[in-house]
């Protein structure tokens, strides 16, 4: 395609005509308040298709376009090929109100978006004088000898330069380029956000932003379907519903979304669902389990003496030993998960800075479940744990640990009275003679099975998803199974289990071990 250089005067006149005559007509044609604004998105780059680069621009644009009330009709991912891009952009430009492209507008040989869009619009590439001068200023005295300046400045003939502003109100140096209803965004994730802001300031003048409400349900999707179908009929034309089941969350089974440009309709739909859904099936999720965690825990234990005792034992230990003299034994099970949260809250109450000094010991014995490994990894991030893993049996691992960390004098453990060998122990007790010498702190020693789940689920503490699939006590993978007492259905070898917290008889807890 030929590249034509336009003089500054002609360029100024063309831009003036474009901004004051063509652009207003185009906006009036497509952007009336009553019309639906549709969007086609084209993600461009060989590196996306061959997996060398992770595509973060697509989810970003989906989020921003939906928030802005723009309906996405199609998203395409294309290679750096002029004909492929031109064909897709041409089709989308006719079908959609606007088209956004992302990527392929750099200085190298494989940056072909400007050329492809020019071809889609039946135009030539021209060197835009304003753009050229901007790049010359940026690259300095050697700009005239650099072919990158010519390539970056060569845009479709009727293109418009849209300049945004930074947070201080200053005009951004390099503009967003648009042709007709096509906006060409950069592919660099850190730059696309600024370009999208420019797009919004130049385009989103007439539409209402989309309102979205998320509803989290403890109900499964099968049980939800009849109620949802009625709601879809009742609110047709006003609300768009979405239903998304999950199998990896502890506190909800379905996320239901309500979308509309009118918040009043969302409120009506939500009220309807509140009336139709079973009581307590709507779950109010905590965005951050550690936000106000200490206050919430102390409020919970007020009327529960066994929980109060656990806190008392923990606080006494933290008063007796410095933070560098205690550690917490953690293996991802339900008991030590509750213990970890309890100790965390007590440390935060006493002195939050001490938390980083407390070591967390994970003794990994035998083959573990992938779910346990993933949960431990997420716990390390959630609680910002000073984490140490030692492979081997408990006795030898403690010996290795104490040799490396001789300052440690006490270890918090999630042992309970029903565990083997724990029956005659106290909340604070020294290890046996043939064990490495250390003081064992057992705050939840007298907690029952139901106490653990009351504490955990009342505070929405994350726990391993195996417990939601019928496991009640976790050991090595080869010696652990789903608890038969929680079996709900067995149809042709497909077995469905209740979650661990619904176990009726706590004496059946260890039926998960064999």
């Amino acid at each position: 395609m030929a590249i034509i250089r336009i003089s500054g005067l002609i360029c100024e006149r063309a831009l003036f005509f474009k901004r004051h005559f063509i652009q207003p007509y185009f906006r009036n044609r497509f952007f009336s308040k009553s019309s639906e604004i549709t969007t086609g998105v084209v993600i461009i780059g060989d590196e996306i298709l061959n997996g060398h680069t992770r595509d973060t621009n697509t989810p970003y644009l989906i989020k921003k376009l939906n928030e802005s009330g723009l309906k996405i009709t199609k998203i395409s991912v294309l290679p750096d090929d002029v004909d492929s891009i031109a064909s897709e952009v041409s089709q989308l430009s006719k079908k959609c109100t606007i088209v956004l492209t992302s990527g392929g507008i750099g200085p190298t040989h494989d940056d072909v978006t400007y050329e492809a869009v020019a071809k889609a619009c039946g135009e030539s590439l021209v060197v835009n004088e304003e753009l050229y001068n901007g790049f010359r200023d940026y690259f300095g005295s050697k700009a005239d000898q650099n072919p990158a300046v010519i390539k970056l400045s060569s845009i479709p003939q009727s293109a418009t330069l849209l300049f945004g502003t930074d947070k201080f109100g200053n005009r951004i140096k390099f503009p967003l380029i648009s042709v007709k209803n096509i906006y060409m965004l950069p592919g660099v994730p850190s730059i696309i956000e600024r370009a999208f802001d420019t797009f919004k300031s130049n385009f989103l003048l007439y539409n209402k932003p989309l309102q979205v409400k998320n509803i989290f349900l403890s109900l499964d999707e099968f049980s939800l379907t009849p109620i949802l179908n009625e709601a879809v009929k009742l609110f047709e034309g006003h609300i768009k519903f979405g239903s998304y089941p999950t199998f990896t969350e502890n506190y909800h089974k379905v996320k239901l979304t309500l979308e509309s440009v009118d918040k009043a309709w969302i409120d009506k739909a939500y009220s309807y669902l509140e009336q139709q859904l079973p009581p307590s099936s709507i779950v109010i999720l905590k965005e951050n389990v550690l936000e106000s965690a200490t206050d919430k825990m102390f409020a919970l234990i007020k009327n529960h003496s066994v929980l109060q005792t656990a806190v008392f034992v923990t606080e006494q230990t933290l008063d007796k030993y410095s933070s560098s003299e205690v550690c917490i034994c953690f293996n991802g099970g339900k008991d030590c998960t509750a213990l970890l949260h309890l100790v965390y809250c007590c440390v935060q109450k006493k002195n939050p800075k001490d938390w980083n000094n407390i070591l967390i010991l994970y003794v990994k014995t035998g083959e573990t479940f992938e779910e346990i490994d993933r949960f431990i990894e997420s716990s390390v991030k959630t609680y910002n744990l000073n984490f140490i893993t030692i492979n081997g049996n408990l006795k030898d691992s403690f010996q290795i640990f104490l040799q490396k960390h001789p300052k440690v004098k006490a270890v918090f453990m999630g042992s309970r009275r029903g565990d083997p060998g724990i029956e005659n122990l106290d909340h604070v007790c020294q290890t046996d003679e043939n064990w490495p010498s250390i003081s064992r702190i057992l705050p939840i020693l007298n907690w029952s099975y139901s106490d653990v789940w009351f504490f955990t689920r009342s505070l929405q503490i994350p726990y391993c998803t195996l417990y939601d699939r019928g496991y009640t006590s976790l050991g090595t993978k080869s010696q652990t199974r789903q608890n038969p007492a929680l079996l709900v259905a067995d149809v042709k070898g497909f077995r469905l289990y209740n979650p661990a917290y619904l176990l009726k008889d706590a004496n059946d807890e260890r039926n998960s071990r064999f």
Side-chain angles (χ1 to χ4, degrees):
M1 188 170 288
I3 296 178
I4 305 170
R5 188 160 184 165
I6 302 180
S7 69
L9 181 60
I10 295 176
C11 181
E12 285 184 17
R13 289 178 178 175
L15 289 173
F16 179 85
F17 182 76
K18 177 77 173 176
R19 290 169 179 162
H20 291 82
F21 295 97
I22 298 177
Q23 194 79 350
Y25 162 76
F26 187 73
R27 282 182 176 169
N28 289 336
R29 179 184 173 194
F30 285 104
F31 309 155
S32 65
K33 293 182 181 180
S34 60
S35 64
E36 182 178 52
I37 302 174
T38 58
T39 310
V41 178
V42 182
I43 305 295
I44 299 165
D46 291 339
E47 69 278 6
I48 300 295
L49 289 171
N50 61 29
H52 291 165
T53 299
R54 181 170 171 264
D55 176 22
T56 59
N57 290 341
T58 297
Y60 171 79
L61 289 173
I62 290 173
K63 181 176 183 292
K64 289 296 182 181
L65 289 168
N66 277 309
E67 287 176 352
S68 303
L70 305 184
K71 180 182 179 182
I72 302 172
T73 58
K74 187 178 182 181
I75 297 176
S76 304
V77 182
L78 300 179
D80 298 310
D81 179 75
V82 171
D83 292 337
S84 299
I85 299 168
S87 175
E88 186 70 1
V89 167
S90 177
Q91 292 181 39
L92 289 176
S93 180
K94 295 170 185 175
K95 296 177 181 179
C96 302
T97 313
I98 59 167
V99 179
L100 297 180
T101 71
S102 172
I105 57 174
T108 58
H109 69 284
D110 55 351
D111 293 310
V112 296
T113 299
Y114 289 157
E115 182 181 350
V117 171
K119 184 173 183 178
C121 297
E123 298 184 8
S124 300
L125 284 179
V126 301
V127 176
N128 181 279
E129 197 77 21
E130 184 176 5
L131 201 53
Y132 180 78
N133 289 333
F135 283 114
R136 281 192 67 194
D137 292 342
Y138 182 79
F139 287 108
S141 59
K142 295 182 179 180
D144 291 333
Q145 286 79 42
N146 192 336
V149 176
I150 292 294
K151 184 173 179 64
L152 287 168
S153 306
S154 301
I155 60 178
Q157 191 168 9
S158 67
T160 298
L161 277 59
L162 304 173
F163 289 91
T165 57
D166 61 22
K167 61 182 180 180
F168 303 107
N170 301 315
R171 193 174 88 157
I172 294 173
K173 190 173 184 63
F174 299 110
L176 171 67
I177 310 299
S178 68
V179 183
K180 297 182 179 178
N181 63 334
I182 305 159
Y183 294 79
M184 290 167 276
L185 305 173
V188 180
S190 60
I191 303 177
I192 194 174
E193 297 180 15
R194 184 188 303 166
F196 189 85
D197 288 340
T198 301
F199 161 71
K200 281 184 64 175
S201 64
N202 283 272
F203 175 82
L204 300 178
L205 304 175
Y206 301 98
N207 62 302
K208 294 181 179 179
L210 188 68
Q211 304 288 323
V212 181
K213 185 175 184 64
N214 295 324
I215 304 175
F216 299 94
L217 302 174
S218 60
L219 207 63
D220 60 71
E221 201 170 36
F222 181 82
S223 304
L224 171 66
T225 298
I227 300 171
L228 183 58
N229 286 345
E230 288 300 316
V232 170
K233 292 178 185 178
L234 184 62
F235 294 95
E236 185 177 4
H238 300 286
I239 296 288
K240 179 181 178 182
F241 293 89
S243 177
Y244 308 96
T246 178
F247 303 98
T248 59
E249 298 293 335
N250 300 135
Y251 296 99
H252 73 279
K253 295 179 180 179
V254 175
K255 182 176 82 170
L256 193 62
T257 60
L258 281 58
E259 299 179 2
S260 176
V261 294
D262 191 337
K263 186 178 181 299
W265 277 106
I266 288 183
D267 292 340
K268 291 178 183 177
Y270 182 74
S271 296
Y272 172 80
L273 290 170
E274 273 190 313
Q275 296 172 12
Q276 300 301 316
L277 289 167
S280 303
S281 59
I282 296 179
V283 180
I284 307 302
L285 288 182
K286 298 173 183 176
E287 293 185 7
N288 181 359
V289 68
L290 300 186
E291 184 178 357
S292 304
T294 301
D295 293 339
K296 292 172 183 175
M297 188 194 76
F298 278 90
L300 178 70
I301 70 171
K302 277 185 178 179
N303 299 317
H304 295 84
S305 59
V306 70
L307 304 187
Q308 290 175 357
T309 299
V311 170
F312 176 75
V313 171
T314 302
E315 290 183 329
Q316 272 197 326
T317 302
L318 295 175
D319 288 337
K320 182 177 180 179
Y321 299 103
S322 70
S323 55
S324 61
E325 292 177 325
V326 297
C327 72
I328 302 172
C329 203
F330 178 73
N331 64 4
K334 64 182 184 305
D335 298 331
C336 59
T337 296
L339 172 73
L340 178 70
H341 192 82
L342 184 149
V343 177
Y344 172 85
C345 292
C346 290
V347 172
Q348 295 302 306
K349 178 186 176 184
K350 184 175 185 291
N351 186 357
K353 293 181 181 179
D354 285 344
W355 183 248
N356 293 328
N357 298 326
I358 297 177
L359 298 177
I360 313 297
L361 173 61
Y362 172 34
V363 178
K364 190 172 184 179
T365 57
E367 184 184 6
T368 56
F369 289 91
E370 291 181 5
E371 291 86 347
I372 279 283
D373 294 336
R374 287 197 297 268
F375 173 67
I376 289 175
E377 288 178 8
S378 68
S379 298
V380 170
K381 294 178 182 178
T382 299
Y383 289 90
N384 190 26
L385 300 180
N386 193 350
F387 202 73
I388 296 171
T389 301
I390 298 178
N391 293 294
N393 62 58
L394 193 61
K395 181 178 178 180
D396 293 341
S397 297
F398 261 111
Q399 185 68 51
I400 294 170
F401 173 75
L402 292 175
Q403 286 174 353
K404 292 183 178 180
H405 305 279
K407 287 185 178 180
V408 175
K409 298 178 181 178
V411 54
F412 285 101
M413 303 183 73
S415 303
R416 291 189 294 114
R417 191 72 71 184
D419 297 338
I422 305 297
E423 296 85 355
N424 299 318
L425 296 183
D426 295 322
H427 286 103
V428 179
C429 54
Q430 202 69 17
T431 50
D432 296 338
E433 291 183 3
N434 60 338
W435 275 68
S437 180
I438 191 170
S439 180
R440 288 178 290 184
I441 313 300
L442 312 177
I444 66 171
L445 178 65
N446 291 329
W447 285 20
S448 66
Y449 180 83
S450 59
D451 288 331
V452 173
W453 285 115
F454 169 76
F455 181 83
T456 300
R457 290 188 59 83
S458 295
L459 297 174
Q460 285 190 9
I461 301 168
Y463 56 86
C464 180
T465 55
L466 288 173
Y467 292 110
D468 290 324
R469 288 159 41 192
Y471 293 84
T472 54
S473 180
L474 301 179
T476 60
K477 191 172 183 179
S478 61
Q479 297 178 328
T480 307
R481 63 177 179 177
Q482 289 161 296
N483 196 320
L486 290 171
L487 181 65
V488 177
D490 187 349
V491 181
K492 295 182 179 180
F494 176 78
R495 295 177 178 177
L496 179 65
Y497 292 83
N498 272 328
Y501 54 85
L502 293 183
L503 185 67
K504 294 180 180 179
D505 188 348
N507 293 320
D508 292 331
E509 176 186 357
R510 296 191 68 83
N511 287 350
S512 269
R513 305 282 190 100
F514 61 91

